[in-house]
Amino acid sequence: TDRKKLHTAPVGQVFRLRPFHVLVATGGGYAGYRKYEDYKLQQLEKRGIEVPVRLASEWEVALYKSVPTRLLSRAWGRLNQVELPTWLRKPVYSLYIWTFGVNMKEAAVEDLHHYRNLSEFFRRKLKPQARPVCCVHSVISPSDGKILNFGQVKNCEVEQVKGVTYSLESFLGPRISTEEMQFSRAPPGNSFQQQLVTKKGNELYHCVIYLAPGDYHCFHSPTDWTVSHRRHFPGSLMSVNPGVARWIKELFCHNERVVLTGDWKHGFFSLTAVGATNVGSIRIYFDQDLHTNSPSYSKGSYNDFSFISNNNKEGIPMRKGEHLGEFNLGSTIVLIFEAPKDFKFNLKAGQKIRFGEALGSL
């Protein structure tokens, strides 16, 4: 008679699942399954077996997007900024170095105790002599990474990997109408690709560089050019590793990205930093107004900023090899530029490249 009564909720209430929880659990499980599939594809590629292209269906893309990658990336960013105790720094960083094959001999500061948190370690600088900038060729690699694809842009479509394309206009956004910009002078009746080409006899070229987590995370100016405009696309933060890029068509158009456009001696030039899972933070050193991975964003929207009308009448001049920006972990750089028909890439698809090495020249 002295025992207390135990009040229990109905079984239906205890096991009630909300739609959000179902989406997160299902999407997270499917993302894990895709990671396993990517691993198997990588093993086949290492053995020299050609992997057929299988694109994701709309429901698969929607399921992947249901994973709250933007929220997870913001949480990861805050975790990276937590200061680690001195005794814990070396074990944590050593594990990361071993997992991703980081070469700390190239770092400006090799002592692991120097980096107070993961964010500082990810954004470590290199020794000045570690990346000599090629002076002979006109376009250099803006970062360390892996060459996913390169070549001429054809029929307003760009290849993110072999056999998988995305729309040039969807990626860069509508044509910029600022009259001062040289690349907006083409007749409006032409295709979007033709409107970007400012000089007769020139072609439009592209190059995609994937930065792995173990790569140097800063990126630099690939040539001498002037940045006139910035366009920021809030969006998803899906993985951009080669396996996912081979699976999801227009992956780069789905993800958050920052498009810098301007001109170089041969006409139109653009560099786009594409965000990815745990890489919601994209920083451009000369652009203090840029804030990526904001909690609130409108799907399909973009924000424009003109460095001509807001700062000066000449834009932001960049020298080849000059520091331009950084990722928080690793992601993708896409170059789209105009050049004469005799421009040649000195690359092979899938090769590793380091910042400062030649991409191509005339």
Side-chain angles (χ1 to χ4, degrees):
T1 57
D2 296 335
R3 291 178 182 176
K4 294 182 179 179
K5 292 183 179 180
L6 178 64
H7 296 277
T8 59
V11 176
Q13 291 183 6
V14 175
F15 293 100
R16 184 181 298 169
L17 292 175
R18 297 183 180 182
F20 175 76
H21 298 153
V22 174
L23 285 174
V24 170
T26 308
Y30 191 73
Y33 167 75
R34 286 306 313 172
K35 287 288 187 181
Y36 173 68
E37 290 293 311
D38 293 341
Y39 171 77
K40 291 198 299 183
L41 291 176
Q42 290 174 5
Q43 298 305 308
L44 291 175
E45 288 180 345
K46 288 180 179 179
R47 292 162 56 187
I49 300 174
E50 187 174 349
V51 180
V53 174
R54 189 191 75 82
L55 295 178
S57 61
E58 290 185 7
W59 73 265
E60 288 178 309
V61 176
L63 188 59
Y64 192 177
K65 282 187 172 182
S66 71
V67 181
T69 52
R70 294 178 62 84
L71 178 62
L72 293 173
S73 297
R74 284 195 295 274
W76 176 253
R78 291 191 178 96
L79 179 63
N80 287 347
Q81 295 173 3
V82 174
E83 185 170 344
L84 297 176
T86 305
W87 62 269
L88 188 59
R89 294 174 188 176
K90 189 171 182 179
V92 171
Y93 301 147
S94 296
L95 177 62
Y96 186 91
I97 291 168
W98 176 79
T99 303
F100 297 108
V102 179
N103 184 3
M104 284 303 294
K105 291 183 178 180
E106 298 177 334
V109 180
E110 297 184 38
D111 182 12
L112 297 180
H113 296 98
H114 169 80
Y115 303 100
R116 295 174 297 177
N117 51 47
L118 285 167
S119 182
E120 287 188 1
F121 179 72
F122 292 148
R123 296 181 289 107
R124 64 192 177 277
K125 304 301 181 184
L126 298 180
K127 295 174 182 175
Q129 66 274 19
R131 296 290 186 275
V133 176
C134 177
C135 300
V136 178
H137 298 275
S138 54
V139 184
I140 63 169
S141 176
S143 66
D144 290 5
K146 179 181 180 181
I147 301 295
L148 293 189
N149 214 304
F150 62 93
Q152 284 191 18
V153 177
K154 298 180 180 179
N155 302 320
C156 294
E157 292 282 324
V158 188
E159 281 193 322
Q160 59 191 28
V161 294
K162 185 178 180 181
V164 182
T165 63
Y166 56 93
S167 163
L168 177 65
E169 186 169 5
S170 297
F171 181 69
L172 296 179
R175 177 169 163 264
I176 300 167
S177 59
T178 309
E179 294 183 359
E180 306 100 294
M181 298 184 185
Q182 294 182 9
F183 51 87
S184 65
R185 295 176 182 173
N190 293 347
S191 69
F192 184 81
Q193 179 178 337
Q194 291 171 329
Q195 291 174 25
L196 297 181
V197 178
T198 63
K199 299 179 181 180
K200 187 177 180 180
N202 280 4
E203 297 288 348
L204 207 60
Y205 298 86
H206 74 98
C207 183
V208 183
I209 305 170
Y210 167 69
L211 289 75
D215 287 328
Y216 167 57
H217 298 145
C218 296
F219 50 93
H220 301 246
S221 176
T223 191
D224 296 333
W225 65 307
T226 300
V227 183
S228 304
H229 187 270
R230 178 258 292 161
R231 176 169 283 165
H232 171 218
F233 290 85
S236 301
L237 288 173
M238 295 184 284
S239 172
V240 293
N241 73 57
V244 177
R246 188 184 296 107
W247 178 54
I248 297 181
K249 183 178 174 63
E250 298 204 334
L251 171 65
F252 299 156
C253 298
H254 289 295
N255 273 15
E256 181 156 6
R257 60 197 181 279
V258 177
V259 182
L260 301 178
T261 51
D263 59 275
W264 68 320
K265 60 183 178 181
H266 298 297
F268 171 79
F269 199 97
S270 74
L271 180 149
T272 301
V274 183
T277 307
N278 295 335
V279 196
S281 175
I282 302 172
R283 182 183 175 193
I284 304 297
Y285 294 138
F286 59 74
D287 189 355
Q288 301 301 317
D289 295 321
L290 175 66
H291 300 286
T292 57
N293 197 13
S294 172
S296 60
Y297 78 102
S298 177
K299 183 179 179 181
S301 65
Y302 59 85
N303 304 304
D304 283 333
F305 187 89
S306 172
F307 296 108
I308 291 179
S309 59
N310 289 279
N311 285 22
N312 51 61
K313 292 298 179 182
E314 298 179 355
I316 307 295
M318 297 297 301
R319 304 295 297 176
K320 183 167 65 175
E322 186 177 352
H323 278 84
L324 182 54
E326 63 187 34
F327 292 111
N328 193 39
L329 185 60
S331 192
T332 298
I333 295 286
V334 179
L335 302 179
I336 299 175
F337 57 94
E338 174 186 0
K341 290 183 178 180
D342 57 350
F343 180 87
K344 300 293 182 183
F345 283 103
N346 304 317
L347 303 171
K348 292 182 180 179
Q351 78 171 72
K352 292 288 292 183
I353 197 165
R354 304 203 301 179
F355 155 61
E357 295 178 346
L359 289 182
S361 62
L362 299 171

